[in-house]
Amino acid sequence: MTSDASRPAPTDEVVDLCRDLLRIDTTNTGDNDTSVGERRAAEYVAEKLAEVGVTAEIHESAPGRANVVARIAGTEPGRGALLVHGHLDVVPADADEWSVHPFSGEIRDGYLWGRGAIDMKDFDAMVLAVVRHWQRTGVRPTRDIVLAYTADEEAGSDYGAHFLAQRHRDLFDGCTEAIGEVGGFSYSVSDTQRLYLIETAEKGLDWLRLHAKGRPGHGSMVHDDNAVTALAEAVARVGRHRFPVVVTPTVRAFLEEVSDVLGIELDPDDPETAIAKLGPIANIIGATIRNTANPTRLAAGYKDNVIPGRATATIDCRSLPGQSELLEAQLRELVGPDIAIEYIQRQPALETTFDGDLVDAMSAALRAEDPGARPVPYMLSGGTDAKAFSQLGIRCFGFAPLRLPADLNFSALFHGIDERVPVDGLQFGVRVLDRFLRTC
């Protein structure tokens, strides 16, 4: 046991922990042969837990695809355990596009920069800092806390959360609720009031490929059965289509809260007018009132003067709760009968209610650190590892608290260039999580 004077404060240590994690390149390309660093990051987390007496297990789903799980015993063993999960992998980053090297962990202008700074090594580091502080000072939570640091979230979680939920479900025995990424962040309404968006819902993951077939031939000939042409026309129809507006209970609750605090009128038949007034977060909220389908990749051909017989496109689709089958029907109508649809990933949307003791504890912790906090529910336009853990009957929320500068375009940083997290936001998150996790 170290002396009080030599113990680092968790609000100081979180910066070092996050910087260390950012400097570990955990790029997930979606291909095991080219994905890197997850094992190294998992070993780093396990070592940091072991240093303070927490036993952590590393579970590999494939060589290098590593996951870390640990359990901290609570003082009330009869209560359901809380799962706290965060992924260690990140999407690729092109250093030539960044102001700093994406794996430098550089501190500049009050921000910690790097790929994964908000998605989601910030939360990984916050939780690690809180747990290390507890172990040094003898703090025990009231309920068991299960920590899961996962691989492969950025490519569908097959080697991460789904692997753990399917092959090691005993590690989550007793878990009734969970918190993870993309929730608890602030949206400034004024100098004295901030909404904190807690994720109670997320859209479904419907990644698919379109396949077109045609008659191969010479590129110089008149050709009326061209797979590339057929595919391009189908992709254009999908990419330009706007699906009908559907306002789910979570989105309605969010818009009612926003309308109240901003003093704007909410027309249930025209939510886009209210959303347009939300500034940077309009991108996230605007994607939660309809199904979406965005073309992301194209592949065809093998020579400049040969018309290929096949062409494929990848479409990133996200469905609202209960709308996956409807989305498929809408897509089949859009692409036409001659284009085949193949699903790469199909994971359901999630939605829970904004109530209960856990929500009360989140809200209380936020208000204790920010008297201007107003917690509100919202739907995430993307997806998280919650899709895997919900299959174990766990009620999942997004709660990775950050107090953000009013002028920061937070949503643009996800998978974008110059990803960064405010240092004081990291420290705020540690204080909130410490309060929340002790008593939730």
Side-chain angles (χ1 to χ4, degrees), residues 114-149:
R115 175 59 86 217
I118 60 164
D119 188 15
M120 60 172 301
K121 291 178 178 179
D122 57 339
F123 182 69
D124 295 336
M126 282 189 254
V127 173
L128 202 52
V130 169
V131 169
R132 283 168 62 84
H133 173 66
W134 284 359
Q135 292 295 112
R136 293 186 182 112
T137 56
V139 173
R140 289 184 62 193
T142 55
R143 64 197 295 188
D144 281 11
I145 304 290
V146 175
L147 307 177
Y149 290 82

Side-chain angles (χ1 to χ4, degrees), residues 201-206 246 248-249 291 318-328 330 346-351 379 387:
E202 61 182 51
K203 294 178 79 174
L205 192 64
D206 303 82
V246 178
T248 64
N291 297 325
R318 308 294 174 126
S319 56
L320 293 170
Q323 298 253 321
S324 182
E325 291 184 3
L326 174 60
L327 174 60
E328 180 180 351
Q330 293 168 330
R346 196 171 195 181
Q347 299 184 36
L350 305 177
E351 189 164 29
M379 179 185 292
K387 295 187 186 306

